[in-house]
Amino acid sequence: MDDTLIHKGLREQLVEEIRSKGITDENVLNALRKIPRHLFFFDRSMEKFAYIDKAFPIESGQTISQPYTVALQTHLLSIEKNDKVLEIGTGSGYQAAVLTAMGAQVYTIERQQEIYVRTKALLSSFHLPITTFYGDGYKGLPQLAPFDKVILTAAAPYIPRPLLEQMKIGGILVAPVENGEQQEMIRIKKISDTEFEQTRHGICAFVPMLKGIC
Ligand code: SAH
């Protein structure tokens, strides 16, 4: 499927909408301009919803994250060129692709085999610096640690310790964390092996981070 002038125009409108909602980081907005979100929809008949600022169902009860949320998480990660990023929850692959447009190398884990297989094939057709893994994100990827940045794109009941351990000192983790009925976006900076600085960035809505694979 093509990335037409119409798609580019719709993307530009979406970028302006996200800017009006408070994300003014030009590098992040440029990354959103570069990645054709409509190519990440499993069901291509849903393509017309790609440039609306909403999360959307993909398959197996999962979602492609809302563009505003992708922009917010990308901004909070403070991506620098060649950052090695661990993503938990590959889903459609869209967030991973946006991170590569910021200059990151992405390692991403998905626990649902059907989604993993489909997104791996899609991403390899794009030739982006993304490596996909089938597994349980609670464990991270110890064999590839340490990472500069870690992003969770499913709501965690708590921050799994292995993910904090697999970060470099000075590294940043961004995650939606369950807090009662709601989820809150959390940013954690690793100051030393035992010290972490945490800030909060508003309420959000993600599918849950589940244990094990399926
Ligand atoms: N980053 C995605 C958002 C996907 S939705 C995107 O840009 O589209 C969250 C994804 O996290 C789902 O596909 C879900 O299956 C996956 N997930 C949930 N718990 C997980 C876990 N423990 N390990 C890895 N992936 C997980």
Side-chain angles (χ1 to χ4, degrees):
M1 193 167 43
D2 291 343
D3 187 27
T4 64
L5 275 178
I6 293 179
H7 292 123
K8 290 191 174 93
L10 291 172
R11 211 145 64 234
E12 196 53 46
Q13 283 176 17
L14 178 64
V15 163
E16 288 315 313
E17 186 177 343
I18 290 170
R19 188 199 299 280
S20 74
K21 291 178 179 173
I23 310 276
T24 53
D25 182 333
E26 289 303 329
N27 293 330
V28 171
L29 296 175
N30 269 332
L32 294 185
R33 272 190 193 102
K34 279 189 205 151
I35 304 296
R37 188 168 183 258
H38 63 282
L39 301 183
F40 293 80
F41 277 57
F42 285 16
D43 178 350
R44 290 286 164 86
S45 68
M46 295 297 164
E47 188 209 308
K48 53 184 173 292
F49 300 108
Y51 298 108
I52 296 174
D53 190 25
K54 285 213 163 85
F56 218 81
I58 44 174
E59 64 183 30
S60 314
Q62 302 307 318
T63 53
I64 177 168
S65 298
Q66 181 185 356
Y68 171 80
T69 310
V70 171
L72 176 64
Q73 287 199 286
T74 305
H75 169 66
L76 291 174
L77 281 173
S78 308
I79 298 290
E80 285 172 30
K81 203 162 167 46
N82 294 325
D83 266 358
K84 190 172 158 190
V85 181
L86 171 64
E87 181 192 36
I88 311 301
T90 312
S92 69
Y94 176 66
Q95 171 74 74
V98 169
L99 290 170
T100 67
M102 300 285 292
Q105 313 270 339
V106 183
Y107 300 84
T108 180
I109 312 178
E110 174 56 54
R111 70 178 284 279
Q112 288 203 41
Q113 194 170 32
E114 203 181 338
I115 296 183
Y116 161 76
V117 168
R118 189 256 177 216
T119 302
K120 182 186 174 70
L122 179 75
L123 289 174
S124 61
S125 75
F126 295 152
H127 306 290
L128 297 171
I130 302 174
T131 316
T132 51
F133 296 83
Y134 172 53
D136 181 357
Y138 276 91
K139 298 181 182 147
L141 288 174
Q143 69 277 28
L144 287 164
F147 295 94
D148 297 293
K149 310 284 161 66
V150 179
I151 173 172
L152 282 69
T153 65
Y158 58 90
I159 304 294
R161 178 128 297 270
L163 302 184
L164 296 173
E165 287 168 359
Q166 289 169 30
M167 278 162 75
K168 288 186 189 165
I169 306 292
I172 294 167
L173 176 146
V174 173
V177 178
E178 285 166 13
N179 185 358
E181 293 289 286
Q182 290 181 318
Q183 303 164 10
E184 219 176 1
M185 192 64 79
I186 301 290
R187 180 186 200 259
I188 294 175
K189 184 160 185 183
K190 184 167 180 174
I191 309 296
S192 72
D193 281 329
T194 52
E195 265 176 294
F196 297 89
E197 232 173 54
Q198 181 176 305
T199 51
R200 294 150 175 250
H201 302 272
I203 302 304
C204 49
F206 282 79
V207 297
M209 182 172 172
L210 302 172
K211 290 221 161 121
I213 50 175
C214 72

